[in-house]
Amino acid sequence: GDCDPDTWEGCPEDLPRSINKNALELLKQRQLMSAIELHVSGHNSHESIDYQNSGAYIFRPTEPDMDPILVGDNGAPVSSWVSQGPLVTEITQSFGSWLNQTIRVVKGASTAEFSFTVGPVPVDDKLGKEVISKFSTSIKNGDAPAISTDSNGREFLERVYDYRPTWNLSNTEPVAGNYYPSNAAAFIRDTDSQFSVIVDRSVGVASLAEGELEVMIHRRLLVDDSRGVGEPLDEYDSSDTGDYLNCKTGNGIVVMGTHLIGLNQPSSAMAEVRSSMDETYAPLVLAFSQMESASLPKTKSQRSMVSVDALPSNVKLLTLQAVDEGALFLRLEHSFGVGEDATLSQPVVVNVTSFVISLGFVPSGAMELTLTGNQPLADLDRLDWTTASSSPLHDDAIMHKAKASEFAKAFASDGDGTITLDPMEIRTAVVYV
C-alpha cells in the first residue's frame, strides 16, 4: 500500500486502539526499539582452562562490558515491507537470511506483536553468538536502570543495575551480572510511562542502559562451559542416533516466538500486563471432533455454560478437578499483587457458591485445604522457630488458619456463599456436590 515503513508516511493514524495513545509513537520508533543484536562470545572457540566460556549454564560475552553487535543494516532491517488490511497491519523486516521479524498491529488490541524467526545462527567465523532483541525508549528508569521481572508469573521483583538488596555487590560482569530470568513479562517505567514485554517462554532479560530493555531470544555456542553438560550449546535440527560421538547432523535449529509490546500509563499498565500474560500462557483453544449421526441427540439438551462474569476480573480459576464421586478440587487465585492497580489490587469478595452452581453442580459443603491439597487447612501446624523477631511464616500460617472456616461457612445453609481473596492469595478447597 501507501504506508512507508521507513518514514511512516501514508500510514493510518488510528491503527492502535485509541485508549493506547502512545502505541503509534511506539511503532514509529520501531527501527530503534526492535534492533536485533548479538552478544558475541569471542573466546567461545577457546578451550583454555583459565577462561570461562559461555555455555548451557553460563552467559559471558567476549568482554564483560561489551556493547552488543548490530546486525542487518547497522541495526536497521536490510529490507521491510507492509501488509495492510481492515483488521491487521503487518510490517515484515528482514535483517538477513537467518533473521526476520514481523510487527503486527491488530485493530482493537492494546499491544503490538513482535514475531521473530532466528536461525540457523551463522558460526562460519567459529564464534559462538547470543542473539538479543533490544528495545530503546525514552523512559527514564534511572542512571542505574531498574527493570521489573515476574517470579513464575506471580509477583514482580524490581532489579536495579549493579545492585543487590541484601549485600554490597562488586560486579565484574556488568552485562551478564545484570541479566535476570523472566517467565512471563518484564517492564521498565518512570512516572509517566511503562514499557512492557510479555514473553511466550522463559527468557533472560536486562536493562543495561536508561530506557532500554533487551530479551535474549537465541544462543548458539561452540565450546562447553565446563559446568557438567560435557558439550557445547549447539543444537541441530536432526541427529544420527547410530553415531554417538557425532550424532548431530543437518542445520542449526531455528527459533520462532512472539513478544507482546505494551506502552501505557503506570496507573493502568499492570491491568494490561496481567491480561496479556494470561492470554499468552493459556490461549483459547478451538477444538472439533467427529460424531456419528446416530449419536446426535434428537432433542435439544440443556448444557451448563459458565457466565463470563462468574468470577471477578481479578480472580483466576487455577484448578477445577473431580477428585472423587461427589467432590471437586478447586483453586482460586487473586491475580494482582499489592499496589499494582488502584482497584484490581484490592481484596476481592468471591461468591464461590454461585460459581459452583454456574458450573451445573449443586454444592452441599466445602473444606479448605493447604495449597498442596494434602491436608485440611485447619490442621496446618508449622514449626515455630525462635527468632530475633516474629516469624513471617508462622504469622502467615496463623492468619490463614483463622480463615479456614470461611469456605465451609460459605456453603452452609445459612452462609452468604462468599470468601475473600487478598492480593496474590491462592485458596484451595474440596467442594462436595
Side-chain angles (χ1 to χ4, degrees):
D2 298 327
C3 182
D4 186 343
D6 294 321
T7 64
W8 208 256
E9 292 180 1
C11 302
E13 290 290 326
D14 60 346
L15 286 180
R17 193 166 63 179
S18 59
I19 64 169
N20 192 345
K21 302 294 186 183
N22 295 322
L24 185 62
E25 289 303 316
L26 182 154
L27 289 180
K28 286 181 179 179
Q29 299 172 37
R30 72 200 177 281
Q31 301 285 10
L32 292 176
M33 294 179 54
S34 60
I36 307 293
E37 304 179 4
L38 300 175
H39 285 297
V40 174
S41 299
H43 294 283
N44 197 250
S45 59
H46 292 189
E47 294 284 3
S48 172
I49 61 173
D50 60 354
Y51 187 83
Q52 176 59 62
N53 292 299
S54 265
Y57 290 102
I58 298 291
F59 165 45
R60 192 166 190 249
T62 303
E63 300 296 336
D65 58 349
M66 74 172 291
D67 292 326
I69 298 172
L70 297 173
V71 297
D73 184 9
N74 196 32
V78 176
S79 61
S80 59
W81 57 96
V82 173
S83 300
Q84 186 175 334
L87 298 178
V88 180
T89 296
E90 289 187 349
I91 303 168
T92 302
Q93 302 172 319
S94 176
F95 293 84
S97 61
W98 59 277
L99 204 161
N100 297 282
Q101 179 174 253
T102 298
I103 304 171
R104 183 177 299 107
V105 181
V106 180
K107 185 177 182 180
S110 59
T111 56
E113 299 178 18
F114 281 63
S115 298
F116 54 86
T117 302
V118 184
V121 176
V123 289
D124 297 339
D125 54 5
K126 306 302 181 184
L127 296 177
K129 298 176 181 66
E130 284 142 318
V131 186
I132 64 168
S133 178
K134 186 169 78 173
F135 302 89
S136 299
T137 75
S138 60
I139 288 177
K140 301 184 184 339
N141 59 326
D143 293 332
I147 181 174
S148 295
T149 62
D150 70 289
S151 179
N152 202 26
R154 292 184 51 74
E155 290 182 290
F156 279 82
L157 304 176
E158 185 179 67
R159 323 283 199 165
V160 179
Y161 185 86
D162 277 355
Y163 172 78
R164 301 295 186 269
T166 56
W167 78 92
N168 294 325
L169 174 67
S170 177
N171 191 5
T172 59
E173 295 285 343
V175 174
N178 286 289
Y179 254 77
Y180 294 95
S182 176
N183 307 115
F187 62 83
I188 57 175
R189 61 164 36 154
D190 57 21
T191 56
D192 298 320
S193 303
Q194 175 172 315
F195 178 81
S196 310
V197 179
I198 290 84
V199 298
D200 58 357
R201 70 204 69 184
S202 294
V203 295
V205 299
S207 181
L208 303 179
E210 187 174 55
E212 294 183 355
L213 192 159
E214 63 182 64
V215 185
M216 189 169 293
I217 56 178
H218 198 354
R219 307 175 75 211
R220 188 178 185 186
L221 304 167
L222 305 180
V223 178
D224 180 42
D225 59 6
S226 301
R227 298 287 166 158
V229 175
E231 62 176 304
L233 187 64
D234 185 16
E235 302 300 323
Y236 285 71
D237 57 12
S238 59
S239 62
D240 181 0
T241 56
D243 186 350
Y244 175 75
L245 294 177
N246 300 289
C247 62
K248 295 180 179 180
T249 61
N251 301 306
I253 60 171
V254 175
V255 171
M256 304 174 67
T258 299
H259 296 154
L260 300 182
I261 308 303
L263 185 63
N264 304 88
Q265 294 181 347
S267 59
S268 60
M270 291 310 298
E272 295 284 355
V273 169
R274 290 288 182 185
S275 176
S276 297
M277 285 167 56
D278 291 341
E279 292 174 7
T280 301
Y281 176 74
L284 293 175
V285 176
L286 184 63
F288 300 90
S289 64
Q290 291 184 337
M291 296 180 65
E292 298 293 336
S293 58
S295 65
L296 293 174
K298 296 182 179 179
T299 58
K300 277 189 176 181
S301 61
Q302 301 249 335
R303 296 175 183 263
S304 171
M305 295 295 289
V306 181
S307 171
V308 294
D309 57 357
L311 291 174
S313 59
N314 53 352
V315 174
K316 187 189 306 180
L317 175 63
L318 286 185
T319 307
L320 179 64
Q321 180 181 356
V323 292
D324 200 354
E325 186 174 354
L328 299 175
F329 185 65
L330 176 69
R331 278 198 189 98
L332 296 175
E333 175 198 21
H334 192 308
S335 54
F336 280 76
V338 174
E340 289 184 353
D341 187 273
T343 301
L344 298 173
S345 289
Q346 299 300 317
V348 59
V349 175
V350 182
N351 193 319
V352 287
T353 303
S354 296
F355 174 66
V356 173
I357 292 174
S358 74
L359 299 175
F361 299 100
V362 180
S364 60
M367 177 174 62
E368 186 158 8
L369 307 175
T370 58
L371 179 63
T372 53
N374 64 345
Q375 65 174 319
L377 183 60
D379 296 343
L380 178 64
D381 187 18
R382 295 191 188 276
L383 294 175
D384 189 9
W385 299 97
T386 300
T387 61
S389 59
S390 61
S391 168
L393 281 177
H394 182 66
D395 295 344
D396 188 60
I398 293 175
M399 179 188 71
H400 281 83
K401 286 184 68 172
K403 300 170 67 174
S405 61
E406 193 176 17
F407 251 101
K409 290 179 180 178
F411 287 95
S413 58
D414 58 347
D416 62 1
T418 65
I419 63 167
T420 300
L421 284 169
D422 292 321
M424 282 283 105
E425 184 178 19
I426 299 175
R427 300 189 67 173
T428 307
V430 58
V431 180
Y432 304 106
V433 294

